[in-house]
Amino acid sequence: MADYSPYSFSKINLAACPFAFWLRYHEKLKGVRNPIFDLGSVIHLILAKLIEYIIAGKEYDSDQVILRYMRATVRDRIDELRKEVWLFEKYFEFNPELVVGVEERMSINRDGTAGKYNSSFLRGILDLIEIDGDTCIITDHKSQFNVLSDGDMAKHEQLRFYCFMVMHFWPQVERFITRIYFTRYGVTKSAVIEKDQVLRYGKRLAISIDHIEAMDKWPAIPGDTCTICSYYNECPHLRRVGDEIDEPQQITTAEEALRTAKLIRVREQQVLRLKPLLKKYCGKSGSVELSDTFEYAYRGQKDIVWDTEEVYDALKE
């Protein structure tokens, strides 16, 4: 059996598509960088610094923090960063006296003992950890567009993975309050997870890792993994423009339906990646004409002023 440790949640999640997993961990391909995630990476870093300043009781200039940690790839989105920092300062709640970790790198060995980050069995980076007696509050920052429902929060696998990690370092914890702070909206959603639920998750996690280590076939399986996949250009379900297109003229069998669904899923993700790049170009250089009757263009946007308190209350509901 192969050993792909250290296992992060993202590595385990990628194994849902064995083909992508094979490209990453057997062929060692880096894949295509997805610029969609750049803004999220930067805001994660900025929020971590702001939390550290708040804990230390230090004054700071939020604009200077943004400029210091902003990357060149998101320089044209500084207004979005400013808005998200403003939302954070106004709506994000935590108790500085309870904080035990900010952007905390955690790793454990197969026997459950603390390990070195690059050579352990499991590892992860937790955005914010608070401990209050036998209760642990874990907060994960997300820059995604959709706010999760209560049902999705209650069964969120990544948060359970974090709970499992924390349990090994603070064994007195009996109850977890898992939170996701949605940086685009200044909204926090939470769910309560008891220790016995985390223990059950640990058993499922062990089964998942056993399955990964036993894999010897590498089919491409479209699904949730497509959203974060960096190997869409290599995907066998994708047919590039100009290639022979294997598209059914009608769908009459379950096999044709499955093949078509896979093709659609992969193409949808490719379009999501390419649109922001074309939008950025059009915003700077003008429209792209495909013909006399069709063009892609970026028309800009109009600002609409909403009462922030009313919007926040509505999102909380």
Side-chain angles (χ1 to χ4, degrees):
M1 295 177 65
D3 183 353
Y4 301 103
S5 61
Y7 292 97
S8 63
F9 180 79
S10 60
K11 182 182 288 188
I12 295 168
N13 197 36
L14 185 62
C17 178
F19 182 73
F21 191 90
W22 175 75
L23 290 176
R24 175 66 180 87
Y25 297 107
H26 280 264
E27 297 300 302
K28 307 296 183 182
L29 294 182
K30 289 186 176 181
V32 179
R33 186 186 65 83
N34 191 340
I36 292 176
F37 299 121
D38 287 349
L39 188 71
S41 298
V42 172
I43 196 65
H44 265 75
L45 180 58
I46 291 172
L47 296 190
K49 297 302 177 183
L50 296 184
I51 290 173
E52 289 175 351
Y53 284 133
I54 293 170
I55 292 172
K58 294 181 179 180
E59 294 185 359
Y60 63 87
D61 182 321
S62 58
D63 226 39
Q64 289 300 315
V65 176
I66 292 172
L67 292 172
R68 181 177 180 183
Y69 295 104
M70 182 174 59
R71 298 172 186 167
T73 53
V74 297
R75 196 170 297 280
D76 61 335
R77 303 176 71 181
I78 189 170
D79 288 340
E80 292 180 63
L81 291 171
R82 285 174 174 149
K83 185 195 79 169
E84 294 192 21
V85 167
W86 180 85
L87 289 169
F88 171 82
E89 293 175 326
K90 189 171 181 64
Y91 295 116
F92 184 69
E93 297 179 353
F94 72 104
N95 188 338
E97 296 182 358
L98 299 179
V99 174
V100 297
V102 179
E103 286 289 301
E104 187 73 15
R105 288 174 171 251
M106 305 184 71
S107 53
I108 58 177
N109 297 318
R110 285 183 183 265
D111 61 3
T113 58
K116 294 181 179 180
Y117 193 75
N118 290 325
S119 59
S120 58
F121 177 54
L122 298 176
R123 71 178 184 182
I125 302 176
L126 282 65
D127 292 335
L128 182 64
I129 309 171
E130 300 168 75
I131 300 288
D132 185 9
D134 64 354
T135 299
C136 176
I137 305 168
I138 298 174
T139 304
D140 190 36
H141 304 315
K142 297 287 188 189
S143 58
Q144 63 194 53
F145 286 97
N146 60 310
V147 175
L148 298 183
S149 67
D150 291 342
D152 287 336
M153 283 295 303
K155 60 185 181 182
H156 200 277
E157 290 286 286
Q158 185 176 10
L159 292 174
R160 293 185 180 229
F161 180 86
Y162 290 158
C163 292
F164 186 74
M165 298 287 292
V166 167
M167 186 178 67
H168 287 78
F169 291 88
W170 289 276
Q172 80 275 15
V173 172
E174 295 290 335
R175 181 171 176 264
F176 295 86
I177 299 175
T178 57
R179 309 193 307 171
I180 293 180
Y181 173 68
F182 296 92
T183 64
R184 293 178 184 271
Y185 312 110
V187 171
T188 301
K189 298 279 293 204
S190 62
V192 176
I193 302 177
E194 302 295 339
K195 189 172 185 176
D196 64 320
Q197 294 175 281
V198 179
L199 291 171
R200 288 198 296 272
Y201 168 79
K203 294 179 180 179
R204 297 202 310 274
L205 178 62
I207 293 171
S208 297
I209 293 175
D210 285 345
H211 172 74
I212 292 170
E213 295 184 342
M215 284 195 305
D216 59 0
K217 293 182 175 61
W218 314 99
I221 303 177
D224 289 341
T225 310
C226 295
T227 307
I228 59 171
C229 183
S230 301
Y231 305 103
Y232 57 91
N233 283 335
E234 306 292 336
C235 184
H237 296 296
L238 183 65
R239 293 290 185 269
R240 298 176 179 83
V241 175
D243 289 349
E244 180 182 351
I245 306 298
D246 183 20
E247 294 180 353
Q249 299 304 307
Q250 59 181 344
I251 300 174
T252 58
T253 67
E255 182 181 355
E256 290 173 339
L258 179 60
R259 185 171 67 250
T260 303
K262 290 178 178 179
L263 181 64
I264 289 172
R265 176 59 178 164
V266 177
R267 283 184 174 175
E268 283 176 340
Q269 295 308 311
Q270 187 180 43
V271 170
L272 287 175
R273 290 179 175 89
L274 295 177
K275 271 192 171 181
L277 302 179
L278 184 58
K279 177 181 175 181
K280 183 177 180 179
Y281 171 85
C282 292
K284 291 182 177 180
S285 306
S287 62
V288 178
E289 295 186 4
L290 274 65
S291 68
D292 293 337
T293 59
F294 191 93
E295 68 176 16
Y296 277 104
Y298 175 56
R299 304 300 184 190
Q301 61 183 19
K302 295 181 179 180
D303 290 333
I304 301 176
V305 179
W306 298 86
D307 185 289
T308 307
E309 296 285 353
E310 292 182 5
V311 173
Y312 180 65
D313 291 340
L315 288 171
K316 286 178 66 177
E317 294 176 2

